[in-house]
Amino acid sequence: MEYRHLGKSGLKVPVLSFGTGTFGGKGEFFSAWGSTDVAEARKLIDICIDAGVNMFDSADIYSDGAAESVLGEAIKGRPRDKLILSTKATFRNGPGANEAGSSRHHLVRAVDSALKRLGTDYIDLFQLHGFDASTPVEETVSTLDDLVRAGKLRYVGASNFSGWHLMKSLAVSERYGYARYVAHQAYYSLVGREYEWELMPLAQDQGVGAVVWSPLGWGRLTGKIRRGQPLPANSRLHVTADMGPPVADELLYRVVDALEKVAGDIGKTVPQVALNWLLQRPTVSSVVVGARDETQLRQNLGAVGWNLTPAQVAELDAASAVTRTYPYWHQQGFLERNPNPV
């Protein structure tokens, strides 16, 4: 397993990390992802650790906290210092007026609750699940800094931020000497390359490592979806398609065609090729993979230990290219002074 620095921090993380969205299975949305219990979670974690994957990602809203609880039970008895635990909070997790957002009130409570569910006294990486425009950035980042100084958090990051959200937060941290975001958990895949337009150049300039979520395009790049064929009966897209990243059908089929060609040429699977492509992109520190079962997990772990050739990367780049929105299409005309990071 390859390890990379998490952004401009001193922490090294595996290039693949394991997402626990399938743990718990509470509610229609998350039960469509999976319903992994503690016993099965222990098996999956054993496989991860044997492969060198020691980073596990969760969030308070995954199955209403059950994912964190299952993860906490599954890691009991393992050396805590050998694990990297990552979780998130900001989205609503209760009916109360203060049970959402990134206020001091909500973040302190969210961190304490996550610590209890995970059965630990510190979180290695804590990320805001989204930007809260109703709370002053100064309040949010000072609270995170207090939690770092208290030893409850080791590193902090963000998720699903716009460029200005991230840059403003970094500027405030820089101004007051607060702990700065070293990670941005962002959506990025061969059928969703918008991360490259602004967030990647920002991350490269500011030293923020990408922790990629849904690297297989919300389950679309598993190799089971093909042009002219219906969705597999067990696909979670039947329930969750409208809640995830939108993808035009023709783009999806064009990318899948290219993935199948490359995969066939080199004897790999479609998901392995899609994941390996991401691992070669600038600013990517870790790619979060999930799995309902051992077969899926072992297949995803096969995305490391080899690399696509430049020609194969170019083939996939061409198949997944789309017209950028303004001002990014305009900036393409001035690459001499404003070059692409890729």
Side-chain angles (χ1 to χ4, degrees):
M1 182 58 57
E2 179 188 350
Y3 294 81
R4 298 176 181 173
H5 284 284
L6 183 61
K8 202 166 64 174
S9 78
L11 179 66
K12 283 193 171 183
V13 296
V15 294
L16 294 182
S17 47
F18 187 72
T20 63
T22 58
F23 287 11
K26 291 181 64 175
E28 182 183 17
F29 180 79
F30 285 103
S31 63
W33 282 25
S35 54
T36 302
D37 60 17
V38 173
E40 183 62 23
R42 288 196 183 104
K43 295 178 185 177
L44 296 176
I45 289 171
D46 282 339
I47 293 170
C48 285
I49 291 176
D50 287 346
V53 174
N54 66 340
M55 182 171 171
F56 302 95
D57 180 71
S58 197
D60 61 353
I61 65 164
Y62 292 174
S63 289
D64 194 24
E68 287 179 329
S69 296
V70 170
L71 175 59
E73 287 294 320
I75 62 173
K76 276 186 177 179
R78 303 174 192 270
R80 177 63 182 88
D81 62 340
K82 304 297 183 185
L83 304 176
I84 299 173
L85 299 184
S86 166
T87 195
K88 302 175 288 292
T90 290
F91 296 148
R92 178 164 294 282
N93 64 345
N98 289 306
E99 292 180 284
S102 298
S103 67
R104 177 176 292 271
H105 179 96
H106 185 244
L107 288 181
V108 170
R109 180 180 177 185
V111 168
D112 286 342
S113 297
L115 290 170
K116 290 178 182 177
R117 288 190 291 265
L118 291 168
T120 183
D121 56 2
Y122 69 94
I123 295 166
D124 298 278
L125 173 63
F126 182 79
Q127 298 156 110
L128 303 182
H129 216 157
F131 185 71
D132 177 7
S134 298
T135 300
V137 171
E138 291 81 359
E139 177 179 341
T140 298
V141 294
S142 66
T143 300
L144 294 175
D145 185 70
D146 288 344
L147 290 166
V148 170
R149 293 177 187 275
K152 295 182 179 182
L153 310 178
R154 295 282 170 88
Y155 295 92
V156 292
S159 183
N160 305 310
F161 274 33
S162 300
W164 77 266
H165 295 160
L166 185 54
M167 193 63 242
K168 182 172 183 178
S169 301
L170 291 170
V172 170
S173 294
E174 223 35 68
R175 179 178 181 182
Y176 295 106
Y178 297 144
R180 71 194 308 273
Y181 298 150
V182 297
H184 185 207
Q185 190 160 335
Y187 170 61
Y188 186 22
S189 78
L190 269 166
V191 289
R193 294 176 56 186
E194 295 89 347
Y195 171 78
E196 297 174 6
W197 302 357
E198 181 170 56
L199 293 170
M200 181 184 283
L202 190 162
Q204 197 170 51
D205 178 74
Q206 293 295 309
V208 179
V211 178
V212 177
W213 64 263
S214 208
L216 298 180
W218 204 248
R220 295 179 175 94
L221 302 180
T222 60
K224 299 176 182 178
I225 297 176
R226 291 178 171 83
R227 190 187 300 270
Q229 296 183 14
L231 282 177
N234 64 346
S235 174
R236 63 182 169 93
L237 289 168
H238 290 290
V239 176
T240 67
D242 293 339
M243 306 173 199
V247 180
D249 286 345
E250 184 51 39
L251 171 63
L252 173 60
Y253 297 139
R254 192 170 71 233
V255 169
V256 169
D257 288 346
L259 282 168
E260 288 186 328
K261 179 182 179 301
V262 172
D265 289 344
I266 61 177
K268 301 292 183 181
T269 67
V270 165
Q272 287 169 346
V273 173
L275 294 172
N276 191 272
W277 177 86
L278 279 170
L279 294 177
Q280 298 189 50
R281 312 307 277 185
T283 74
V284 172
S285 292
S286 189
V287 173
V288 181
V289 297
R292 294 186 185 185
D293 52 45
E294 297 180 26
T295 301
Q296 284 185 341
L297 177 55
R298 292 187 190 279
Q299 179 179 216
N300 289 338
L301 293 174
V304 299
W306 56 278
N307 278 326
L308 295 164
T309 67
Q312 290 162 348
V313 170
E315 188 174 352
L316 295 170
D317 285 353
S320 59
V322 298
T323 301
R324 299 184 174 193
T325 56
Y326 178 81
Y328 309 111
W329 64 259
H330 191 275
Q331 293 170 0
Q332 291 288 96
F334 302 91
L335 295 179
E336 177 187 8
R337 307 303 291 180
N338 188 26
N340 287 328
V342 180

